[in-house]
Amino acid sequence: MWNQACTQSTDGISRHKAGISKATLQILPCTVSQLLSAYRVSNDTFAMCDWEINQVSIVGVIRGFSPFKTNIWYTVDDMTASPLNVKQWVNKEDCNQTYACPGTYVKVTGSLRNISGQRSLLAINIRCIKDLNEITSHMLEVVHSHMQLFGKVFDVNMNTTVHSLSGSFPAGRPQDTSPDSLSTIQTQVLHIIRKFSVRDEGISFHDLKVQLDYLSMRDIRSSLDFLVNEGHVFFTIDEHHFKSAEPQKAT
C-alpha cells in the first residue's frame, strides 16, 4: 500500500498583484526563510515585496514524519531557518500513494497556508531528490527568479545584496523603503514600527508581537536590538515602547 518512494511533480502557478494585474508563471522557487518571513496579507494569503504568492517550491531534508488517518505532517529543513511544517493529504483511493522518510531530501510543491495558527506548506506534491546537484540548482533558481520578479538581487534569505538593477522599484513597491543592509525580518520589524510612529508613545513590544505573530520572539528581539543600536529605532516612554527615527512617509 505505502512504499518509500516519491511521486513526480507538475509545475505551474498563477500569481497576481492584488488589484493591479494577474499573470500565470511557473512555481516560485523559495527557501524556508523566505516563506517564514513573507508578509501575511490575510489568513491564508502571503506576499513578498507586495506580490501575492500562490504556489511555491522548496528543497530540503525531512526531519520529522507524523502520519495520521487523513493526512501526513512533515518537517522540512533547508538550513536557511527553522524547519517548515508541511501537510500532505492522504488519498485513500490511491493505493500507490507514496511517502518520504526522515533523512530524505525532497522537493515540495504547494501553497503557503496558516494552519492552526502556524505557517505551513500545504503540499500538492512531494518528490524525492536523487541527484544532490538539484539542491544547488534550486538555490540558484531562488536567487535568479527573485531577481527577475522583484528587480533586485536577493540572497537565499531574501536579504538585498545590491541596489535595484533598474535603479528604481517595480510598480507598486512600497515607497517606504529600508536600508539595503537590513535583513528581511529587520525590515518587517522596522516597517511595523514606522506605521505606529504617528503615536506619541510609538508601538509597544506587545503590540509589535501581535502585528508580527508569525515571527519568533527571538527574531523580533534581535531585530529590535539591531535597529536600536544602528539608530533606526529609539525608545519612547520606556524600554518597551519604540518609534522609528524616520517615520513612514505619507502616500
Side-chain angles (χ1 to χ4, degrees):
M1 180 175 176
W2 293 96
N3 52 69
Q4 297 178 10
C6 291
T7 57
Q8 296 298 315
S9 65
T10 56
D11 291 350
I13 67 167
S14 63
R15 164 181 148 307
H16 70 282
K17 198 167 191 176
I20 299 178
S21 63
K22 191 169 184 177
T24 300
L25 304 171
Q26 290 184 339
I27 292 171
L28 183 63
C30 293
T31 64
V32 170
S33 174
Q34 291 171 345
L35 297 181
L36 291 178
S37 59
Y39 287 96
R40 189 171 71 184
V41 179
S42 63
N43 189 50
D44 278 330
T45 304
F46 298 89
M48 293 181 188
C49 298
D50 268 12
W51 284 90
E52 291 184 14
I53 56 175
N54 187 3
Q55 292 185 18
V56 299
S57 66
I58 61 170
V59 168
V61 62
I62 293 180
R63 300 296 189 191
F65 170 78
S66 301
F68 297 94
K69 187 175 182 179
T70 59
N71 59 77
I72 301 172
W73 280 94
Y74 299 97
T75 52
V76 177
D77 185 7
D78 70 353
M79 274 68 82
T80 65
S82 57
L84 180 68
N85 291 328
V86 175
K87 182 179 183 179
Q88 184 180 41
W89 292 109
V90 172
N91 185 355
K92 296 181 180 179
E93 298 179 357
D94 184 3
C95 295
N96 294 317
Q97 186 174 5
T98 58
Y99 69 92
C101 298
T104 304
Y105 275 91
V106 294
K107 181 172 184 177
V108 182
T109 303
S111 301
L112 192 61
R113 293 287 184 266
N114 183 31
I115 303 176
S116 300
Q118 235 179 356
R119 193 170 297 203
S120 307
L121 197 61
L122 184 59
I124 297 172
N125 181 267
I126 299 178
R127 174 174 62 81
C128 291
I129 290 178
K130 302 184 185 300
D131 184 355
L132 295 184
N133 287 323
E134 191 169 347
I135 301 173
T136 303
S137 176
H138 177 78
M139 288 302 183
L140 292 174
E141 290 173 359
V142 169
V143 175
H144 184 256
S145 62
H146 285 75
M147 178 181 68
Q148 284 190 317
L149 294 177
F150 306 130
K152 300 187 83 175
V153 179
F154 298 92
D155 63 19
V156 295
N157 292 314
M158 279 296 281
N159 298 325
T160 311
T161 58
V162 297
H163 292 288
S164 174
L165 299 180
S166 63
S168 61
F169 293 107
R173 284 290 305 277
Q175 297 302 307
D176 175 30
T177 56
S178 299
D180 289 339
S181 60
L182 300 186
S183 71
T184 305
I185 293 177
Q186 290 165 355
T187 300
Q188 293 186 43
V189 172
L190 180 58
H191 176 70
I192 297 299
I193 294 175
R194 280 178 174 173
K195 284 179 61 177
F196 286 84
S197 289
V198 294
R199 300 176 178 177
D200 291 339
E201 72 279 8
I203 185 172
S204 68
F205 183 73
H206 175 269
D207 289 341
L208 187 62
K209 287 191 298 179
V210 172
Q211 293 290 321
L212 299 169
D213 59 350
Y214 52 88
L215 296 179
S216 69
M217 187 175 297
R218 185 181 69 175
D219 285 341
I220 295 175
R221 286 192 182 278
S222 63
S223 295
L224 275 172
D225 289 342
F226 177 85
L227 293 171
V228 170
N229 290 335
E230 292 296 315
H232 299 298
V233 170
F234 61 90
F235 300 117
T236 58
I237 58 176
D238 57 31
E239 293 186 354
H240 303 291
H241 287 77
F242 314 90
K243 288 186 73 171
S244 169
E246 183 183 350
Q248 180 168 289
K249 298 176 182 179
T251 55

